[in-house]
Amino acid sequence: MSTPVAVQPVAEPATGKTGPRPAQRLTGFMPLIALVALVAALAVADPDFLTARSLTAVARTAAPLIVLAAGATLIVLCGGIDLSIAALASLTTVLLALWLPALGGLATPVVIAVAAAIGAVQGLAHVLLRIPSFIVTLGGMSILSAVALVVSGAGTVRVVDDTPVAWLELYLGGYVPMSAAMALLVVALIAAVLKATPLQSWISATGYSESAARLAGTPVDLVKIGAFCVSGACAGFAAVMLVSRQYSGGPTMADNLLLPAVAAIVVGGTAITGGHGSLWRSLAGALVVTLLRVGLPIVGVPSAYEQILYGVIIVVAVALTLDWSKVSIIK
């Protein structure tokens, strides 16, 4: 009974009314507006862009990014961040390439389980040691990158027989890449589980106000650990997609997906302060980021400017989606 009394007087003067603010309503449509605008611009710049071949290539390119962003979105919704997803995916590509000859078809679920366990360990370190998720995953990124280098011998591990993962390179109906269909399935399954269980409200409550969520009986620590576990599993599955495409594993194979994944989350309208956003918005954000990667060469912009673009996108998107009512001091 004491929580509403403490929170309500503070929230009302700031907003003046209940319900979503105009800025939040605009943020909700921002990913779709950007997606439509990009498709139109690329269609004008290159009339062949809207062909089945080009759209299929975009879908295949976006698939690993969609899965990575979907898992990391849960952590951001909890008010944290996972900087280790790309390094974990790179390590998983190495493990999968090494274990495929011995385990065959079992290698895929095994490496996904290992990646999920690594994610859970990071979640435990964050919860039990009370270390910010930024520091835990930054250290995790360094550790996982080093382990990947050691395990792989600092080189590419080639896959001799890719039969157990080749199904991801098939096409549904001759047009839809299996990898893209599986990425959509992952997003749909996670979203369905959140909707059908108290997890969605628990995650939102944790992101909005962790102290209030604890007072309301939300298992905050378990929610955070679970989010890290799912993020790790998604990184593992993204790695499987990369191996099926590259026919090899490498200690840096997924490293270039970290900034795009973060950009996809914030472009999708998920507040970096937590509590506000959704998986479907991150899906739209991942498509926007992928179209930007594909579109830069089409309009004649050198790929060297790609990282600059991501940096600008992240700063602008965070400025638009940040919940200023939760940030009284900027450090």
Side-chain angles (χ1 to χ4, degrees):
M1 296 299 293
S2 60
T3 303
V5 176
V7 176
Q8 189 69 14
V10 177
E12 288 228 307
T15 60
K17 59 179 180 179
T18 59
R21 296 170 295 175
Q24 290 178 335
R25 294 192 185 98
L26 179 61
T27 299
F29 290 103
M30 183 176 65
L32 292 177
I33 295 172
L35 186 59
V36 172
L38 273 174
V39 171
L42 291 175
V44 171
D46 181 9
D48 292 332
F49 174 73
L50 293 180
T51 61
R53 181 178 181 181
S54 295
L55 295 177
T56 297
V58 170
R60 292 179 70 247
T61 302
L65 181 59
I66 291 172
V67 175
L68 269 182
T73 297
L74 297 182
I75 297 177
V76 176
L77 285 172
C78 289
I81 194 168
D82 190 351
L83 299 178
S84 67
I85 49 175
L88 179 54
S90 294
L91 172 60
T92 307
T93 65
V94 173
L95 296 179
L96 180 60
L98 290 173
W99 293 348
L100 271 174
L103 297 180
L106 290 176
T108 295
V110 168
V111 295
I112 292 176
V114 169
I118 293 173
V121 169
Q122 292 189 105
L124 281 169
H126 166 54
V127 167
L128 297 181
L129 302 180
R130 315 306 298 174
I131 303 175
S133 58
F134 177 87
I135 301 300
V136 170
T137 57
L138 182 63
M141 177 176 65
S142 178
I143 293 171
L144 294 172
S145 296
V147 171
L149 284 171
V150 172
V151 172
S152 66
T156 301
V157 181
R158 299 198 175 277
V159 175
V160 178
D161 182 11
D162 67 331
T163 304
V165 294
W167 61 276
L168 282 168
E169 291 301 296
L170 300 177
Y171 290 83
L172 293 174
Y175 294 100
V176 180
M178 182 66 74
S179 57
M182 293 304 298
L184 292 176
L185 181 61
V186 167
V187 174
L189 285 176
I190 298 176
V193 171
L194 294 181
K195 195 73 173 177
T197 65
L199 286 173
Q200 184 166 339
S201 60
W202 287 350
I203 289 174
S204 296
T206 300
Y208 275 120
S209 174
E210 184 174 326
S211 57
R214 291 183 186 277
L215 289 174
T218 301
V220 172
D221 291 345
L222 290 178
V223 167
K224 287 185 173 183
I225 294 172
F228 273 95
C229 184
V230 173
S231 180
C234 287
F237 189 48
V240 177
M241 292 180 173
L242 292 173
V243 171
S244 69
R245 183 186 307 172
Q246 303 291 338
Y247 307 106
S248 63
T252 60
M253 180 173 287
D255 287 4
N256 63 342
L257 292 179
L258 176 58
L259 275 181
V262 175
I265 294 171
V266 295
V267 166
T270 297
I272 203 71
T273 46
H276 177 70
S278 73
L279 291 169
W280 296 109
R281 291 184 182 183
S282 293
L283 168 62
L287 292 175
V288 169
V289 171
T290 301
L291 286 175
L292 285 173
R293 298 177 68 183
V294 173
L296 286 179
I298 293 178
V299 297
V301 178
S303 59
Y305 291 92
E306 190 173 305
Q307 300 300 317
I308 298 176
L309 181 62
Y310 290 148
V312 173
I313 287 174
I314 290 172
V315 172
V316 172
V318 168
L320 292 174
T321 60
L322 192 64
D323 187 355
W324 297 102
S325 65
K326 296 167 60 177
V327 184
S328 57
I329 299 176
I330 303 297
K331 296 184 179 180

